[in-house]
Amino acid sequence: MTEQATGAPKPQPRARNGGQHQAAPVEMTGAQSLIRSLEEVGADTVFGIPGGAILPAYDPMMDSARVRHVLVRHEQGAGHAATGYAQVTGKVGVCMATSGPGATNLVTPLADAHMDSVPMVAITGQVASGSIGTDAFQEADICGISMPVTKHNFLVTDPAEIPRTIAEAFHIASTGRPGPVVVDIAKDALQRRTTFSWPPVTDLPGYRPVTKPHAKQIREAARLISESRRPVLYVGGGVMKAQATGELKVLAELTNAPVTTTLMGIGSFPDSHPQHLGMPGMHGSVAAVTALQKADLIVALGARFDDRVTGKLDSFAPYAKIVHADIDPAEIGKNRTADVPIVGDAREVIADLIVAVQAELGTAAGTAGTADAAGAGEAARAGYPDWWEQLNRWRDTYPLGYDLPEDGSLSPQQVIQRIGELAPADTVYAAGVGQHQMWAAHFIKYERPASWLNSGGLGTMGYAVPAALGAKVGEPGRTVWAIDGDGCFQMTNQELATAALNNVPIKVAIINNGALGMVRQWQTLFYNQRYSNTKLHIGPGGDAQQPNKGTRCPDFVKLAEAMGCVGIRCEDPDELDAVIEKANAINDRPVVVDFIVHEDAMVWPMVAAGTSNDEVMAARGVRPDFGDSDD
């Protein structure tokens, strides 16, 4: 119905019966068949590390002109790089590891991709088929281990099955609700001879994702929208995955309903749009959190009502009817009962909703059966003026903000805000997990899809640097900033060497407060300021109450330089803009900027874990007063 929004991920070529490219049967090894299969499904990049069981696949990869291999320094880095690549390109990300510890090091990025619905195929080597089950050297049942955190997995012991399995793996990963798929291939299957031909005959009789929504459910959803007085569009990552951002904007402007975007949905609706209330949830904006609480209708699009959004579930949105649209039927009703469940692809759902709402608003006046219904219909057609009066009051009274430190040190929020303001318009931002993640979600403005990458569901420390690496490989023409904490950075910073040696000039901002910041914030608020094991680099001259004073260990500038990157340190607010502009101007090598920030900054707003969203705190000691009239 609408053109795809500028900057949306490009569609991934999907494997299917009768593909466009026909390859005549030819004899080759299973390893050669694997590489040819990757070429045929459109894979152009593999992130990985060789090892004994997967080594046969690395030999024919040298001869491929269509598949680039990026040698990472840890398998976790390979998995997160594949995720970052997938999120910015819309293609299936591919990573590769050997058996045993190589494969098990992929479990965290597999779980991360599974939680955040990222299309990824992980190819792992396995011990020879005759040794499976004998506790052979470097044997691990990666299919069994990864089963709870993958969409599907395959164990291949027959080389003839490799083309079909790769085709099916890419199809499963990229269709329906996207997710990770493991293809575990026995070493002897890679070494033995086979006959390769393409396309293979695939057979997935139980896999039939529903993409077209039921017309009756669409009409019922449109009716509820026309009858509501306080609707909210609750938008999750599924809208981005379905490339439905253009349709979303049309629906939002047609209804004039407020829009909230989850942590995974950021970028699917422009932050600058007057209807955007921001992110809901534990650290969401007061306006977004309260809009959901006071709504009489929530239209959930590609979102899953997770605990970080709902807070205490039995007190979440007590006045609201629920329209829940999702490609995955297992999500609908899982946490919150849906009054109108809609199974389907978000792009199809929203496109059909636009037509149905247009029809409903056009006929509502003549069909309203009661005065109340007539009034609601009039409110819908008028754009909900009373609702927006409340929303704007909350938005104006409790805006996002922060205080500058009294001691003249750097504010972490200011650092992140200025990075966003000084970076090119098409910049991609990849965040780690913790305080800096929430500040990056709040204080950088996202105007286009595929510009915000983070570990939303799993909350994986160490995500940012390898994800930024993968994003830059996938979109080399875009600037990529990793916004990382000093704790997260120390988990995967070895991938800086990968970036330097592969000419992938990412930029890394370390928000260095000398502590595990979010954990320290909880210790401040809930553990009587007992800072147990959250101070990261106390050294000679350090102060237990000031974790960012004293010897820095490691020295991130020296570490960056040792790995072939430019290292810069910034401690003075007066130098902030010049340092950021210097980093933006360096495009021949990775850049790491160590921003030494105030250690006591906190993330606000906040809903404490396990409490009701009605108890949202705008700042420490500041609970919003909504008044009885808002109910």
mmCIF file of all heavy atoms in Angstrom, residues 30-56:
data_model
loop_
_atom_site.group_PDB
_atom_site.id
_atom_site.type_symbol
_atom_site.label_atom_id
_atom_site.label_comp_id
_atom_site.label_asym_id
_atom_site.label_seq_id
_atom_site.Cartn_x
_atom_site.Cartn_y
_atom_site.Cartn_z
ATOM 1 N N GLY A 30 31.531 -32.870 0.331
ATOM 2 C CA GLY A 30 30.472 -32.231 1.109
ATOM 3 C C GLY A 30 30.827 -30.813 1.488
ATOM 4 O O GLY A 30 29.962 -29.933 1.534
ATOM 5 N N ALA A 31 32.108 -30.556 1.769
ATOM 6 C CA ALA A 31 32.543 -29.204 2.108
ATOM 7 C C ALA A 31 32.355 -28.256 0.932
ATOM 8 O O ALA A 31 31.873 -27.123 1.091
ATOM 9 C CB ALA A 31 34.011 -29.222 2.541
ATOM 10 N N GLN A 32 32.720 -28.698 -0.257
ATOM 11 C CA GLN A 32 32.489 -27.874 -1.444
ATOM 12 C C GLN A 32 31.001 -27.656 -1.668
ATOM 13 O O GLN A 32 30.565 -26.561 -2.051
ATOM 14 C CB GLN A 32 33.119 -28.551 -2.660
ATOM 15 C CG GLN A 32 34.638 -28.554 -2.640
ATOM 16 C CD GLN A 32 35.232 -29.406 -3.739
ATOM 17 O OE1 GLN A 32 34.726 -30.495 -4.041
ATOM 18 N NE2 GLN A 32 36.314 -28.922 -4.359
ATOM 19 N N SER A 33 30.217 -28.682 -1.410
ATOM 20 C CA SER A 33 28.766 -28.558 -1.537
ATOM 21 C C SER A 33 28.211 -27.521 -0.563
ATOM 22 O O SER A 33 27.301 -26.749 -0.898
ATOM 23 C CB SER A 33 28.117 -29.922 -1.280
ATOM 24 O OG SER A 33 26.713 -29.827 -1.294
ATOM 25 N N LEU A 34 28.779 -27.485 0.642
ATOM 26 C CA LEU A 34 28.345 -26.489 1.632
ATOM 27 C C LEU A 34 28.598 -25.078 1.129
ATOM 28 O O LEU A 34 27.710 -24.211 1.195
ATOM 29 C CB LEU A 34 29.086 -26.728 2.949
ATOM 30 C CG LEU A 34 28.926 -25.646 4.023
ATOM 31 C CD1 LEU A 34 27.472 -25.521 4.462
ATOM 32 C CD2 LEU A 34 29.824 -25.946 5.221
ATOM 33 N N ILE A 35 29.791 -24.821 0.634
ATOM 34 C CA ILE A 35 30.117 -23.467 0.177
ATOM 35 C C ILE A 35 29.275 -23.093 -1.045
ATOM 36 O O ILE A 35 28.762 -21.966 -1.144
ATOM 37 C CB ILE A 35 31.618 -23.350 -0.141
ATOM 38 C CG1 ILE A 35 32.455 -23.715 1.102
ATOM 39 C CG2 ILE A 35 31.951 -21.943 -0.620
ATOM 40 C CD1 ILE A 35 32.113 -22.927 2.349
ATOM 41 N N ARG A 36 29.090 -24.035 -1.969
ATOM 42 C CA ARG A 36 28.232 -23.762 -3.120
ATOM 43 C C ARG A 36 26.800 -23.464 -2.677
ATOM 44 O O ARG A 36 26.130 -22.577 -3.225
ATOM 45 C CB ARG A 36 28.240 -24.953 -4.086
ATOM 46 C CG ARG A 36 29.482 -25.065 -4.957
ATOM 47 C CD ARG A 36 29.543 -23.962 -6.023
ATOM 48 N NE ARG A 36 28.379 -23.949 -6.880
ATOM 49 C CZ ARG A 36 28.224 -24.700 -7.975
ATOM 50 N NH1 ARG A 36 29.192 -25.555 -8.324
ATOM 51 N NH2 ARG A 36 27.139 -24.609 -8.715
ATOM 52 N N SER A 37 26.318 -24.184 -1.693
ATOM 53 C CA SER A 37 24.956 -23.960 -1.192
ATOM 54 C C SER A 37 24.822 -22.579 -0.576
ATOM 55 O O SER A 37 23.819 -21.876 -0.783
ATOM 56 C CB SER A 37 24.589 -25.038 -0.164
ATOM 57 O OG SER A 37 24.591 -26.331 -0.742
ATOM 58 N N LEU A 38 25.838 -22.158 0.181
ATOM 59 C CA LEU A 38 25.811 -20.812 0.751
ATOM 60 C C LEU A 38 25.773 -19.758 -0.349
ATOM 61 O O LEU A 38 25.061 -18.748 -0.253
ATOM 62 C CB LEU A 38 27.028 -20.595 1.661
ATOM 63 C CG LEU A 38 27.029 -21.362 2.986
ATOM 64 C CD1 LEU A 38 28.358 -21.160 3.710
ATOM 65 C CD2 LEU A 38 25.876 -20.911 3.873
ATOM 66 N N GLU A 39 26.538 -19.974 -1.394
ATOM 67 C CA GLU A 39 26.510 -19.036 -2.515
ATOM 68 C C GLU A 39 25.116 -18.965 -3.134
ATOM 69 O O GLU A 39 24.616 -17.876 -3.459
ATOM 70 C CB GLU A 39 27.529 -19.465 -3.568
ATOM 71 C CG GLU A 39 28.983 -19.318 -3.133
ATOM 72 C CD GLU A 39 29.955 -19.880 -4.156
ATOM 73 O OE1 GLU A 39 29.521 -20.670 -5.041
ATOM 74 O OE2 GLU A 39 31.146 -19.528 -4.097
ATOM 75 N N GLU A 40 24.476 -20.120 -3.298
ATOM 76 C CA GLU A 40 23.186 -20.162 -3.981
ATOM 77 C C GLU A 40 22.059 -19.532 -3.167
ATOM 78 O O GLU A 40 21.113 -18.986 -3.736
ATOM 79 C CB GLU A 40 22.821 -21.607 -4.344
ATOM 80 C CG GLU A 40 23.762 -22.263 -5.341
ATOM 81 C CD GLU A 40 23.809 -21.525 -6.672
ATOM 82 O OE1 GLU A 40 22.829 -20.852 -7.021
ATOM 83 O OE2 GLU A 40 24.841 -21.627 -7.360
ATOM 84 N N VAL A 41 22.136 -19.580 -1.839
ATOM 85 C CA VAL A 41 21.078 -18.949 -1.041
ATOM 86 C C VAL A 41 21.334 -17.468 -0.827
ATOM 87 O O VAL A 41 20.528 -16.782 -0.190
ATOM 88 C CB VAL A 41 20.901 -19.639 0.330
ATOM 89 C CG1 VAL A 41 20.395 -21.062 0.154
ATOM 90 C CG2 VAL A 41 22.178 -19.596 1.159
ATOM 91 N N GLY A 42 22.428 -16.957 -1.353
ATOM 92 C CA GLY A 42 22.675 -15.520 -1.294
ATOM 93 C C GLY A 42 23.536 -15.063 -0.140
ATOM 94 O O GLY A 42 23.658 -13.859 0.091
ATOM 95 N N ALA A 43 24.144 -15.990 0.581
ATOM 96 C CA ALA A 43 25.034 -15.581 1.674
ATOM 97 C C ALA A 43 26.302 -14.977 1.082
ATOM 98 O O ALA A 43 26.935 -15.575 0.212
ATOM 99 C CB ALA A 43 25.377 -16.774 2.551
ATOM 100 N N ASP A 44 26.678 -13.794 1.539
ATOM 101 C CA ASP A 44 27.897 -13.165 1.025
ATOM 102 C C ASP A 44 28.957 -12.970 2.098
ATOM 103 O O ASP A 44 30.092 -12.613 1.788
ATOM 104 C CB ASP A 44 27.591 -11.829 0.348
ATOM 105 C CG ASP A 44 26.841 -10.858 1.255
ATOM 106 O OD1 ASP A 44 26.979 -10.959 2.485
ATOM 107 O OD2 ASP A 44 26.111 -10.009 0.722
ATOM 108 N N THR A 45 28.600 -13.198 3.371
ATOM 109 C CA THR A 45 29.551 -12.995 4.459
ATOM 110 C C THR A 45 29.349 -14.070 5.515
ATOM 111 O O THR A 45 28.212 -14.368 5.895
ATOM 112 C CB THR A 45 29.365 -11.608 5.105
ATOM 113 O OG1 THR A 45 29.456 -10.587 4.102
ATOM 114 C CG2 THR A 45 30.415 -11.353 6.167
ATOM 115 N N VAL A 46 30.450 -14.617 6.000
ATOM 116 C CA VAL A 46 30.435 -15.585 7.098
ATOM 117 C C VAL A 46 31.414 -15.094 8.155
ATOM 118 O O VAL A 46 32.560 -14.766 7.849
ATOM 119 C CB VAL A 46 30.844 -16.996 6.625
ATOM 120 C CG1 VAL A 46 30.947 -17.953 7.817
ATOM 121 C CG2 VAL A 46 29.868 -17.531 5.594
ATOM 122 N N PHE A 47 30.957 -15.024 9.395
ATOM 123 C CA PHE A 47 31.819 -14.669 10.516
ATOM 124 C C PHE A 47 32.165 -15.952 11.265
ATOM 125 O O PHE A 47 31.261 -16.708 11.637
ATOM 126 C CB PHE A 47 31.101 -13.699 11.455
ATOM 127 C CG PHE A 47 30.651 -12.422 10.790
ATOM 128 C CD1 PHE A 47 29.380 -12.325 10.222
ATOM 129 C CD2 PHE A 47 31.491 -11.320 10.723
ATOM 130 C CE1 PHE A 47 28.959 -11.156 9.608
ATOM 131 C CE2 PHE A 47 31.072 -10.145 10.109
ATOM 132 C CZ PHE A 47 29.806 -10.063 9.547
ATOM 133 N N GLY A 48 33.448 -16.229 11.475
ATOM 134 C CA GLY A 48 33.755 -17.483 12.126
ATOM 135 C C GLY A 48 35.200 -17.673 12.494
ATOM 136 O O GLY A 48 36.050 -16.788 12.310
ATOM 137 N N ILE A 49 35.485 -18.876 13.026
ATOM 138 C CA ILE A 49 36.825 -19.306 13.412
ATOM 139 C C ILE A 49 36.957 -20.779 13.032
ATOM 140 O O ILE A 49 36.097 -21.587 13.384
ATOM 141 C CB ILE A 49 37.069 -19.162 14.934
ATOM 142 C CG1 ILE A 49 36.844 -17.728 15.408
ATOM 143 C CG2 ILE A 49 38.487 -19.606 15.295
ATOM 144 C CD1 ILE A 49 37.013 -17.548 16.907
ATOM 145 N N PRO A 50 38.032 -21.151 12.333
ATOM 146 C CA PRO A 50 38.190 -22.567 11.984
ATOM 147 C C PRO A 50 38.632 -23.410 13.167
ATOM 148 O O PRO A 50 39.134 -22.907 14.168
ATOM 149 C CB PRO A 50 39.266 -22.533 10.902
ATOM 150 C CG PRO A 50 40.069 -21.313 11.213
ATOM 151 C CD PRO A 50 39.103 -20.311 11.784
ATOM 152 N N GLY A 51 38.443 -24.703 13.045
ATOM 153 C CA GLY A 51 38.866 -25.680 14.038
ATOM 154 C C GLY A 51 38.782 -27.050 13.398
ATOM 155 O O GLY A 51 38.322 -27.194 12.251
ATOM 156 N N GLY A 52 39.185 -28.080 14.119
ATOM 157 C CA GLY A 52 39.337 -29.400 13.531
ATOM 158 C C GLY A 52 38.131 -29.912 12.779
ATOM 159 O O GLY A 52 38.227 -30.313 11.608
ATOM 160 N N ALA A 53 36.943 -29.911 13.402
ATOM 161 C CA ALA A 53 35.775 -30.543 12.788
ATOM 162 C C ALA A 53 35.232 -29.750 11.609
ATOM 163 O O ALA A 53 34.677 -30.329 10.671
ATOM 164 C CB ALA A 53 34.681 -30.754 13.836
ATOM 165 N N ILE A 54 35.381 -28.434 11.632
ATOM 166 C CA ILE A 54 34.846 -27.600 10.548
ATOM 167 C C ILE A 54 35.920 -27.299 9.503
ATOM 168 O O ILE A 54 35.630 -26.723 8.446
ATOM 169 C CB ILE A 54 34.269 -26.279 11.108
ATOM 170 C CG1 ILE A 54 33.349 -25.570 10.084
ATOM 171 C CG2 ILE A 54 35.387 -25.339 11.576
ATOM 172 C CD1 ILE A 54 32.113 -26.331 9.748
ATOM 173 N N LEU A 55 37.158 -27.723 9.760
ATOM 174 C CA LEU A 55 38.273 -27.352 8.884
ATOM 175 C C LEU A 55 38.061 -27.734 7.418
ATOM 176 O O LEU A 55 38.439 -26.956 6.524
ATOM 177 C CB LEU A 55 39.565 -27.975 9.401
ATOM 178 C CG LEU A 55 40.871 -27.437 8.810
ATOM 179 C CD1 LEU A 55 40.989 -25.932 9.021
ATOM 180 C CD2 LEU A 55 42.067 -28.167 9.415
ATOM 181 N N PRO A 56 37.440 -28.877 7.108
ATOM 182 C CA PRO A 56 37.234 -29.188 5.688
ATOM 183 C C PRO A 56 36.452 -28.119 4.939
ATOM 184 O O PRO A 56 36.666 -27.926 3.736
ATOM 185 C CB PRO A 56 36.452 -30.513 5.735
ATOM 186 C CG PRO A 56 36.845 -31.139 7.027
ATOM 187 C CD PRO A 56 37.012 -29.998 7.985
#
